[in-house]
């Protein structure tokens, strides 16, 4: 690959990344583009999640979906990426996966 091709390729990826940041930022945040990270930090701290345990990682993803759902339901936004229905289905999937992990640990 020549440098010109390399730079064009990297610029293309960077542009896609910027568009994704704009789109997802719209769905997840408001004025503060770091809001979802700050909220997740507070939730993890409040609930004393232990991210060294698989159950803690499951709970992180479940909380992330609940946070996304709250953003969509209470902001009156129409999602650009993942609909409310998709978020609810994902939330259910994450709880099912936690149930699988807990079941596997019993055995």
């Amino acid at each position: 690959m020549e440098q010109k091709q390399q730079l064009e390729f990297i610029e293309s990826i960077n542009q896609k990344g910027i568009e994704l940041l704009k789109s997802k930022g719209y769905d997840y945040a408001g004025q503060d583009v770091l809001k979802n990270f700050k909220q997740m930090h507070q939730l993890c701290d409040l609930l004393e999640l232990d991210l060294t345990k698989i159950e803690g990682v499951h709970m992180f993803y479940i909380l992330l979906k609940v946070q996304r759902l709250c953003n969509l339901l209470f902001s009156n936004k129409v999602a650009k990426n993942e609909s409310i229905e998709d978020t609810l289905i994902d939330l259910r999937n994450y709880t099912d996966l936690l149930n699988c992990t807990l079941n596997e640990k019993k055995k």
Side-chain angles (χ1 to χ4, degrees):
M1 179 180 283
E2 294 178 8
Q3 186 179 30
K4 182 180 178 202
Q5 291 171 312
Q6 175 198 32
L7 293 175
E8 288 173 355
F9 177 71
I10 298 298
E11 285 176 359
S12 171
I13 290 172
N14 288 342
Q15 187 58 41
K16 287 177 185 174
I18 289 168
E19 293 305 315
L20 194 57
L21 272 174
K22 288 177 185 177
S23 179
K24 287 199 169 204
Y26 173 84
D27 283 359
Y28 278 91
Q31 287 289 93
D32 183 357
V33 296
L34 300 176
K35 176 183 134 187
N36 56 326
F37 293 98
K38 293 172 184 176
Q39 286 179 340
M40 285 302 297
H41 175 263
Q42 291 173 335
L43 283 170
C44 290
D45 191 43
L46 178 68
L47 297 173
E48 299 177 352
L49 289 190
D50 184 350
L51 297 177
T52 65
K53 295 182 178 176
I54 192 167
E55 297 91 336
V57 175
H58 278 289
M59 289 306 304
F60 176 85
Y61 282 102
I62 289 169
L63 288 171
L64 192 62
K65 286 298 168 182
V66 169
Q67 180 203 35
R68 176 174 174 70
L69 190 58
C70 287
N71 285 337
L72 293 175
L73 288 173
F74 304 122
S75 69
N76 296 318
K77 292 180 185 176
V78 175
K80 290 185 177 180
N81 292 288
E82 180 184 305
S83 69
I84 290 173
E85 182 180 1
D86 290 343
T87 301
L88 287 167
I89 290 168
D90 264 355
L91 179 58
R92 178 161 188 242
N93 288 340
Y94 282 129
T95 58
D96 287 344
L97 289 167
L98 174 57
N99 204 11
C100 290
T101 294
L102 296 174
N103 187 23
E104 183 178 69
K105 284 188 128 190
K106 283 183 194 176
K107 296 178 180 180

